[in-house]
Amino acid sequence: MGLTQQLASPDPREREAAAHAVARAVWDPDAETVLAAALAAAAADEEDPAARRAQLEALPAVEGGLGDADLERLGRLWPAPPALDRLLARAGRLQVCAPARPSGAATLTEVRCLRGAPHTGLGLRTPEGAWVVLERIEFQGRAVARLETGRTARVLLSGPGARDLGEWDRLEADPRAREYVRLLRAPDPRVRELAAAGTADWPDSWDPDTGRLLCAALARAARAEADPEALESQLHALLQLGDHLAPPALALLRTLDPAALPAPVRPYLDELLAP
């Protein structure tokens, strides 16, 4: 029985075991997308507490494959456990849907949530790349902690980009990580090389969940990489992000054959796999 079928098994222990199996591996992009959809569907329908906990904890392993429909389904789970709450916040996308009104150091406006579930205190980027902070959310006349997909709310925004917002501008929870994951799959090796270098420019800027997402993408890219310079960039980035390197990504790196690697990059792999 495949994992997607096992996630739909009538036996909750089978569903729990399948979720644990998903969490223990780094998946290729096609499998990641299929498993992400199956895991989101399973978690949304799950009634067994242990199986649901395992399913939600496994979601970061296939986060790059979650589509907007999967995120919307997961956003209906309330109250959201911390891991899911952070995942939905990382996917957050808002669209300004009324004129922005600067007020002192902050800006008042209305936004519609297009994806994920941004929460108060979250940093988002404007179309120009400037930061704004979601200071307050007011939905139907009352303050709320987060804004769910499809809902419109009045918000108070602060930060360098808040005063220059225009109607219909989109704000995204730091989109860099998702863009790097996408670029690490690009057909051009120079694009893959630069994407890997970008992940390591500010290694301390990533939260643990995002760091693990990037390490998984880098390990997957390194496993398939044929270009020596891109491979060196990927392994160097993994060293820089070493605090976020989880067992599934390490297991993937252990499948690399050192003897088949270009001599200049072997020390990188040796250091990554050193006990």
Side-chain angles (χ1 to χ4, degrees):
M1 181 187 297
L3 284 178
T4 53
Q5 290 81 16
Q6 195 175 345
L7 284 166
S9 167
D11 182 351
R13 300 289 70 78
E14 286 285 331
R15 300 195 297 272
E16 181 182 359
H20 287 309
V22 170
R24 286 195 295 265
V26 172
W27 303 94
D28 68 75
D30 291 339
E32 183 180 51
T33 300
V34 172
L35 286 168
L39 198 59
D45 296 335
E46 188 58 70
E47 296 180 353
D48 180 81
R52 173 173 282 187
R53 183 167 56 252
Q55 291 156 0
L56 295 178
E57 290 174 353
L59 283 168
V62 290
E63 184 171 349
L66 288 168
D68 288 0
D70 302 320
L71 291 164
E72 184 173 359
R73 175 177 278 174
L74 292 167
R76 300 190 195 114
L77 299 178
W78 185 256
L84 177 58
D85 194 47
R86 293 192 299 270
L87 187 153
L88 292 170
R90 288 195 299 276
R93 176 184 290 162
L94 301 174
Q95 184 169 45
V96 178
C97 55
R101 304 192 303 277
S103 176
T107 294
L108 289 165
T109 189
E110 291 186 3
V111 297
R112 181 173 177 80
C113 182
L114 302 180
R115 187 179 67 192
H119 56 66
T120 53
L122 183 68
L124 303 108
R125 286 189 183 268
T126 69
E128 289 72 36
W131 280 105
V132 300
V133 177
L134 188 53
E135 298 284 359
R136 179 180 171 85
I137 306 170
E138 189 176 292
F139 178 69
Q140 294 183 345
R142 62 185 179 88
V144 295
R146 72 173 193 167
L147 184 60
E148 298 174 20
T149 301
R151 290 184 171 180
T152 299
R154 285 166 46 90
V155 297
L156 180 67
L157 302 168
S158 67
R163 298 185 65 84
D164 298 322
L165 288 174
E167 194 168 0
W168 313 122
D169 278 350
R170 289 188 175 187
L171 306 172
E172 296 213 31
D174 194 355
R176 296 174 303 162
R178 289 189 301 278
E179 183 67 2
Y180 288 142
V181 170
R182 184 183 70 82
L183 293 176
L184 283 167
R185 302 170 181 169
D188 185 340
R190 298 287 74 77
V191 173
R192 300 195 298 271
E193 178 186 355
L194 291 172
T199 67
D201 278 346
W202 295 282
D204 296 331
S205 70
W206 305 116
D207 64 77
D209 291 329
T210 305
R212 285 192 290 271
L213 170 69
L214 289 170
C215 283
L218 285 162
R220 181 169 53 204
R223 181 66 182 83
E225 189 57 71
D227 181 84
E229 293 178 356
L231 178 60
E232 182 174 1
S233 182
Q234 292 152 7
L235 294 179
H236 178 261
L238 283 164
L239 281 172
Q240 295 295 103
L241 299 175
D243 289 344
H244 303 302
L245 195 54
L250 279 169
L252 192 61
L253 292 173
R254 289 191 182 98
T255 66
L256 290 170
D257 179 8
L261 298 180
V265 306
R266 290 175 195 164
Y268 292 101
L269 184 63
D270 291 342
E271 189 172 348
L272 284 165
L273 300 182

